[in-house]
Amino acid sequence: MRISAHARSIQPSLTLQVAARAAKLRAEGVDVISFGAGEPDFDTPAHIKRAAEAALERGETKYTQVAGTPELREAVAAELSRAHGLRLGVENVIVSVGAKHSLFNLFLALLDPGDEVVIPAPCWVSYPEIVTLVGGTPVILETRAEEGYRIDERRLGEVVSHRTRAIVLCSPSNPTGALYDERTLVGVARVVRERGGPDTFVVTDDIYRRLVYRGEWSSMARVAPELLGRLAFVDGVSKTYAMTGWRIGYCAAPAELIEAMAKLQGQSTTNPASVSQAAALAALTGPQEPVEEMRREFDRRRRTMVSRLREIPDVAVHEPAGAFYAFPDLRAYLGARLPDRDTVIEDDLALAQYVLDQARVAIVPGSGCLAPGFERLSYATSMSNVEEGLRRFATALGALRR
Ligand code: PMP
Ligand code: GLU
């Protein structure tokens, strides 16, 4: 069958593929531990579920306004105004079907063919694909584990030009867990001013903003208020409130850009699900204690995962400051041979496959995040899974002939 060049131009989501592979094995009765998809294992807090039930009872089962209900947009504007030290109105906010959809609409509204988007790597699997899909050109900026994945201002300056329509920052980062401090953001803002064009945007993906364990999250808007007309913030409830399946994300940006995104959304998905919007409203306006409880538990798992990884010979891991991923460097294991055969583990994809086959542990190969030789392990799973999974992982690596 002929499939469009558009569809052929992108890779499938590796994170979702790994998750599907793990789910399939589990359905077949295999005892697989998944460090794959970044998805909190916690249930959505009870008060949020009750708000969704109440919305159903009230008959909120119809289309809403395309950009979201006025109540939810108001709540998002209030929440993001607090986070970024701004005075955002509903006209600055659009609610979409997850933060991934927000990013999709945002790049669709921003990019013309050939417009460049600078993406610091290692990066989340979907950024380069979304940019490519909407006709933009991803420009990858290398960041290094030994530099704490900081953005080097000089190297950034070499790739930013008038052709740059946006720079995407994800802090804390998926997959590295790195957090950009104020100095880094000041440096990025300087490069945008000095080397970018008049409409070079900074897009911050703040989806993990409330899952920080070391240091403090900083907002680009606070650090560089002079860029205000060229900032877009992507955020959502998936990670913070354990609401991945509800599919609610949002974006705050200048009103004109939001209007363009709403036009695109109005011709594609229409509004996000009405009941999910009611749930998201309860998440943002209700008690925040569950967020802190989950954050604390993630932190315990993070410490355990990182220390277990560091006990494995020749595995290096930069300590993640936020999100829920560890991103170990496993290059020392490439070129190793399987225990009972002569097959060589050539790359991180083969290593992830070996770990799945041998240890029944699902992990995401770093190549998907443009970091070959690395593997991503999510600790958004129970402490007993973290402990058992790491035991199996270490045993599997130990069985390789290096
Ligand atoms: N950005 C990053 C960095 C992510 O890790 C995710 C997780 N899927 C998303 C955006 C999208 O989240 P969602 O679509 O579930 O809101
Ligand atoms: N963001 C999560 C991850 O990176 C969920 C899957 C996805 O949307 O990519 O694993």
Side-chain angles (χ1 to χ4, degrees), residues 100-373:
K100 193 183 275 179
H101 186 218
S102 301
L103 285 159
F104 189 88
N105 284 337
L106 177 61
F107 287 127
L108 200 52
L110 275 180
L111 302 183
D112 280 320
D115 279 349
E116 296 180 354
V117 176
V118 173
I119 305 172
C123 63
W124 179 41
V125 293
S126 292
Y127 296 141
E129 307 308 322
I130 295 175
V131 168
T132 302
L133 187 55
V134 305
T137 305
V139 174
I140 305 303
L141 172 75
E142 185 203 2
T143 69
R144 300 171 183 163
E146 59 274 21
E147 295 172 359
Y149 296 109
R150 254 183 315 101
I151 291 179
D152 180 85
E153 201 177 322
R154 191 185 50 78
R155 289 203 296 270
L156 179 65
E158 286 165 6
V159 294
V160 170
S161 71
H162 280 239
R163 289 187 302 279
T164 308
R165 188 66 218 273
I167 299 174
V168 190
L169 302 181
C170 180
S171 173
S173 153
N174 175 3
T176 67
L179 188 67
Y180 295 141
D181 60 11
E182 286 197 359
R183 257 185 57 209
T184 301
L185 297 184
V186 167
V188 171
R190 188 161 37 232
V191 172
V192 170
R193 279 195 316 269
E194 291 174 5
R195 308 199 65 99
D199 59 4
T200 300
F201 263 72
V202 180
V203 173
T204 66
D205 180 343
D206 306 322
I207 192 106
Y208 297 105
R209 148 175 84 80
R210 295 184 62 189
L211 297 176
V212 171
Y213 319 106
R214 285 188 55 178
E216 258 183 59
W217 178 80
S218 316
S219 155
M220 194 68 176
R222 288 185 195 271
V223 168
E226 74 281 5
L227 289 183
L228 208 50
R230 303 195 262 153
L231 298 181
F233 316 109
V234 173
D235 215 312
V237 294
S238 285
K239 318 286 171 172
T240 308
Y241 300 98
M243 290 180 69
T244 45
W246 299 80
R247 310 307 303 129
I248 295 289
Y250 25 84
C251 177
E256 211 180 327
L257 183 54
I258 295 295
E259 221 172 280
M261 290 168 71
K263 184 168 72 171
L264 294 165
Q265 186 159 302
Q267 294 290 22
S268 54
T269 59
T270 317
N271 58 277
S274 55
V275 175
S276 292
Q277 290 191 64
L281 178 62
L284 290 177
T285 55
Q288 299 299 301
E289 287 78 13
V291 177
E292 180 54 17
E293 277 165 36
M294 291 189 271
R295 192 196 65 83
R296 251 188 260 129
E297 181 56 27
F298 285 138
D299 190 21
R300 286 184 52 229
R301 300 165 182 183
R302 173 185 77 100
R303 288 161 197 265
T304 301
M305 183 175 271
V306 169
S307 69
R308 297 288 192 279
L309 282 170
R310 286 184 174 158
E311 286 164 10
I312 306 174
D314 301 319
V315 170
V317 58
H318 182 263
E319 185 173 344
F324 34 55
Y325 310 100
F327 199 58
D329 179 348
L330 287 153
R331 282 176 293 187
Y333 288 83
L334 302 186
R337 287 173 191 281
L338 298 195
D340 50 352
R341 272 173 281 148
D342 264 352
T343 322
V344 173
I345 303 232
E346 300 279 5
D347 55 21
D348 52 281
L349 294 152
L351 185 61
Q353 189 60 51
Y354 163 71
V355 170
L356 184 61
D357 295 340
Q358 176 82 15
R360 290 168 275 96
V361 173
I363 58 178
V364 177
S367 306
C369 310
L370 306 184

